[in-house]
């Protein structure tokens, strides 16, 4: 017999079904709660609220486990490629060789963007943050592909939007950087693989040869895999909720880019490097900064530490820490902030404040060090996260659509004034 849960309100008994996931996570299905009892649930920050049933990513924050479609992240990061992982997330299975070749080829044919995009880009001042530029260019695709506004698009139309999104994202990302630099944009070189193409668009300068370093391209590919999905986080929930109104996929993803931008989410990678630099400039006194992070009267938090769902090591952080070491070694770079990061981690992990609250380094703690070693400027870190997260957003948007989920619309407990009469302006105090 399936499990149920009983709720007693004012002596009346109500029964609710329990839903069990593949990995035995349990949820109380309260979808009839308001109709049957008149109550709603209140859960600020949705800390205990399941918004959907999803078959894409499994995450056990207590044990530090992360799987994409059942495959452990460690194995994918070591053996797979970003586009293979993108296919897996979006379509549910690893591609066969011919499926992979077609998918890669379809994406490669859609790397070019409409020339008018350049006019939009020209409208941005060159000190614009690349995340704002990226989300605007992404949303601008609704103008170039108005058919994406049709909520009942047939599957081939949806497929086209998906590969256009994956194809054009690196072009938009590199162009947002070129805009910040005040440099002319580079066009995609379709002889190259996904990451090498992006790097060339980012770094090639007029009149100069640019050879992509395979170490750099592989490191970037691995970072993108590690960022590719993370179930119902802030930006992904945003994508699903915007998509649930049946807005275009481009506007839903653009909204996800904006949600990712904040320093508590994807923007943390940028903040980590700024923090590590500040600690270095300040003389490298780790204890002083740890004390600041613990002081409730100080707004400072240890950026790259803590996570809503991981109460153990973030498995991505473990891989990234090792990759940071490898990349710096291979490229022969000695970054003093890596040492500060390692010391900070060591001290924090022994400190009772962090131990009691189960605060561990997250994905953003070491990723910035790799991005820096790859030559990527700080303002672009969150753009890199967005490039990595794109297949996850697409997969989640597609799942929400395929499951025909209702429009996302939470309720609230109103705590404002009770009904009162309008006072004409002359009579107001
Ligand atoms: N430094 C110092 N104290 C912290 C930190 C931190 N980085 N993170 C959490 N705490 C404390 C917090 O003050 C609270 O203490 P108390 O119980 O005494 O009030 C306790 O730990 C629980 O924190 P919370 O803010 O209630 O937890 P949350 O789940 O709402 O927030 C978080 C999670 C990631 C926003 C938070 O840990 C944080 O702000 N971390 C720094 C920003 C960061 O690295 N963000 C990247 C997240 S990973 C990438 C991604 O997927 O977005």
């Amino acid at each position: 017999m399936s499990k149920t849960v009983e709720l007693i309100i004012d002596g009346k008994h109500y029964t609710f079904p329990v839903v069990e996931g593949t990995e035995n996570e349990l949820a109380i299905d309260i979808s009839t709660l308001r109709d049957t009892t008149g109550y709603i649930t209140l859960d600020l920050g949705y800390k205990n609220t399941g918004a959907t049933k999803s078959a894409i990513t499994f995450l056990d924050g207590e044990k530090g486990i992360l799987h994409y479609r059942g495959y452990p992240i460690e194995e994918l990061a070591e053996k797979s490629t970003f586009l293979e992982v993108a296919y897996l997330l979006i379509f549910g299975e690893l591609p066969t060789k011919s499926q992979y070749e077609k998918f890669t080829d379809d994406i490669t044919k859609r790397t070019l963007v409409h020339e008018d995009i350049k006019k939009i880009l020209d409208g941005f001042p060159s000190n614009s943050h690349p995340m704002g530029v990226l989300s605007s260019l992404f949303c601008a695709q609704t103008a170039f592909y108005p058919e994406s506004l049709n909520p009942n698009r047939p599957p081939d139309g949806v497929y086209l939007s998906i590969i256009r999104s994956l194809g054009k994202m690196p072009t938009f990302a590199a162009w947002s950087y070129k805009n910040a630099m005040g440099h002319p944009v580079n066009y995609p070189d379709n002889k190259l693989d996904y990451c090498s193409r992006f790097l060339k668009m980012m770094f090639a300068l007029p009149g100069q040869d640019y050879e992509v370093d395979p170490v750099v391209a592989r490191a970037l590919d691995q970072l993108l895999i590690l960022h590719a999905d993370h179930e119902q986080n802030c930006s992904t929930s945003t994508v699903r909720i915007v998509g649930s109104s049946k807005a275009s996929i481009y506007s839903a993803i653009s909204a996800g880019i904006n949600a990712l931008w904040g320093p508590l989410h994807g923007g943390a990678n940028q903040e980590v490097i700024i923090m590590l630099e500040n600690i270095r400039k300040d003389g490298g006194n780790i204890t002083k900064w740890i004390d600041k992070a613990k002081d409730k009267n100080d707004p400072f938090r240890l950026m790259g530490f803590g996570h809503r769902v991981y109460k153990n090591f973030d498995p991505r952080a473990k891989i990234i820490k090792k990759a940071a070491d490898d990349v710096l070694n291979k490229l022969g770079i000695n970054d003093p902030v890596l040492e500060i990061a390692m010391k900070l981690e060591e001290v924090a992990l022994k400190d009772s404040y962090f131990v009691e609250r189960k605060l561990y380094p997250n994905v953003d703690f070491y990723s910035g060090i790799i991005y820096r070693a790859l030559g990527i400027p700080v303002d672009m870190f969150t753009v890199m996260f967005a490039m990595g997260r794109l297949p996850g957003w697409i997969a989640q948007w597609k799942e929400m659509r395929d499951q025909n989920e209702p429009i996302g619309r939470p309720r609230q407990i109103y705590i404002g004034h009770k009904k009162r009469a309008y006072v004409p302006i002359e009579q107001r105090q």
Side-chain angles (χ1 to χ4, degrees), residues 62-79:
E62 271 69 35
K63 296 192 185 131
I65 293 174
L66 177 61
H67 295 170
Y68 295 162
R69 301 280 189 189
Y71 296 99
I73 188 70
E74 293 80 3
E75 228 179 312
L76 293 171
E78 192 195 326
K79 300 177 185 161

Side-chain angles (χ1 to χ4, degrees), residues 47 230 263-266 268 293 296 301-308 316 353-354 357 359 362-364 385:
K47 292 191 179 193
H230 213 231
L264 296 189
H265 192 9
K296 295 289 174 202
R301 276 190 169 201
L302 208 55
M303 297 313 285
F305 252 76
H307 202 278
R308 169 61 58 78
R316 304 167 300 172
Y353 174 97
F354 292 88
R357 290 170 180 75
L359 302 171
N362 59 47
V363 68
D364 290 324
F385 194 152

Side-chain angles (χ1 to χ4, degrees), residues 59-123:
L59 195 170
D60 183 330
E62 271 69 35
K63 296 192 185 131
I65 293 174
L66 177 61
H67 295 170
Y68 295 162
R69 301 280 189 189
Y71 296 99
I73 188 70
E74 293 80 3
E75 228 179 312
L76 293 171
E78 192 195 326
K79 300 177 185 161
S80 190
T81 65
F82 176 62
L83 285 190
E84 191 179 53
V85 167
Y87 187 99
L88 170 70
L89 287 168
I90 297 167
F91 302 110
E93 295 295 339
L94 285 168
T96 61
K97 195 163 179 289
S98 63
Q99 284 169 334
Y100 182 64
E101 280 166 7
K102 180 178 183 312
F103 185 58
T104 309
D105 190 50
D106 286 346
I107 290 168
T108 307
K109 282 185 187 136
R110 281 156 186 104
T111 53
L112 208 57
V113 301
H114 195 290
E115 277 296 286
D116 284 351
I117 287 276
K118 278 208 299 202
K119 294 187 192 145
I120 302 175
L121 192 67
D122 283 344

